[in-house]
Every structure is written in structure tokens, then in C-alpha cells.
Amino acid sequence: MVCLGNICRSPTAHGVLEKLIQNKELSNFIEVDSAATSTYRLGDHPDPRSIEAAQRRGYNLEQQVTRQVSANDFEEFDYVLAMDADNQRHLESAAPIGSKAKVQLLLSFSSDATESVPDPYFGDAGQGFEKVLDLVENACQHLLEQLQQELANTKVEH
């Protein structure tokens, strides 16, 4: 999960997907992480407003620490999912030639027609973070269904 600063959107997506994975007892099979395309806030924890909004819905973001996307992420992960088109373009240009990761928008998994998760950092303290959660929960639910299908296909093939 990747956004510009790794303090609002991507940690929220990370926390939501991580909880869904735990609920399905798939933590041994699916790993999730989040990162930034920028270096603005490296080493920081998520924005307190993101933490609060997520906690109200049962997600824990407090242990996350901001880091920047690395070349290794494109080999370690099957998907590198951007929160918006600008970050997707950055990721596509940063991806090493021949890397295995699929770079795409998180909301490409959503049943909503929205393409980008809006950045709530400078907006309304409550509504923006709730909107991020709404969009991310929907997309992560569908993403997990896709990942479960891929896991099932891998088990059949082996």
C-alpha cells in the first residue's frame, strides 16, 4: 500500500487489509505493508486522525512506522498498490525492469467507480478520514477475495 507520505491513506489500507487477513486466518500466507513515495515523514507513526478513525472501526495503526518504497518491494510483494494516479506513476517509473510486482491502483479492486483514495491530510478532520476508510474497506475486501483465489490456484498447481 503506497501513498505520498505513508501517514494517512496507505497506513489505513495496510491496517484494514491486515485485519481482514487476520480474520480469515491467512496471516501465514499473505503479508501486507505500506510505504511512501516521498521522504517527508520517514520514521513517523501514522497521522493521529488516521489512527483515531481506524480505531473506531476496529483497526490498529499505532505500530506502523513510515518508510519509503524500496526496489526490494517490487520483488518481495506481488502487488504494489497506489492510493492515487500520481503515486502509481511514480511507482511505475521506480519499478526495476522485470520486477514481479503488479503496480496498480488499490481502488481498481473496488466496486466503487472512484479511482483515487482522496488525501484527507489537509481536509475536514472527520469526514475525510471516514471517506478513506469507506473506500479502503471496500477495495480491501475485494482485494482479499482476489488474493484468496490466487492462493487457491497456487495450492492446486502445486
Side-chain angles (χ1 to χ4, degrees), residues 45-76:
H45 290 282
D47 186 295
R49 298 169 295 174
S50 289
I51 292 172
E52 279 181 37
Q55 282 177 336
R56 284 193 295 273
R57 296 196 193 186
Y59 307 110
N60 184 353
L61 312 183
E62 292 178 330
Q63 302 307 312
Q64 295 183 39
V65 176
T66 303
R67 70 177 186 88
Q68 190 173 28
V69 173
S70 71
N72 187 51
D73 290 329
F74 296 94
E75 294 304 324
E76 185 177 339

Side-chain angles (χ1 to χ4, degrees), residues 81-82 104-111 114-115 139:
L81 301 173
Q104 61 191 87
L105 293 170
L106 171 64
L107 294 189
S108 68
F109 291 96
S110 176
S111 61
T114 306
E115 287 186 20

Side-chain angles (χ1 to χ4, degrees), residues 60-153:
N60 184 353
L61 312 183
E62 292 178 330
Q63 302 307 312
Q64 295 183 39
V65 176
T66 303
R67 70 177 186 88
Q68 190 173 28
V69 173
S70 71
N72 187 51
D73 290 329
F74 296 94
E75 294 304 324
E76 185 177 339
F77 294 99
D78 295 319
Y79 292 92
V80 177
L81 301 173
M83 299 299 117
D84 60 51
D86 286 339
N87 284 293
Q88 180 183 19
R89 281 189 292 278
H90 179 92
L91 291 167
E92 288 169 344
S93 67
I97 295 172
S99 63
K100 76 169 192 167
K102 297 173 189 132
V103 175
Q104 61 191 87
L105 293 170
L106 171 64
L107 294 189
S108 68
F109 291 96
S110 176
S111 61
D112 191 315
T114 306
E115 287 186 20
S116 294
V117 178
D119 190 344
Y121 188 78
F122 292 109
D124 179 299
Q127 290 299 331
F129 292 90
E130 294 299 325
K131 178 68 173 174
V132 166
L133 277 159
D134 292 342
L135 292 169
V136 163
E137 284 176 332
N138 179 291
C140 285
Q141 195 72 263
H142 290 93
L143 171 59
L144 184 55
E145 291 168 10
Q146 169 79 27
L147 296 174
Q148 286 178 282
Q149 184 62 46
E150 290 175 15
L151 277 172
N153 290 343

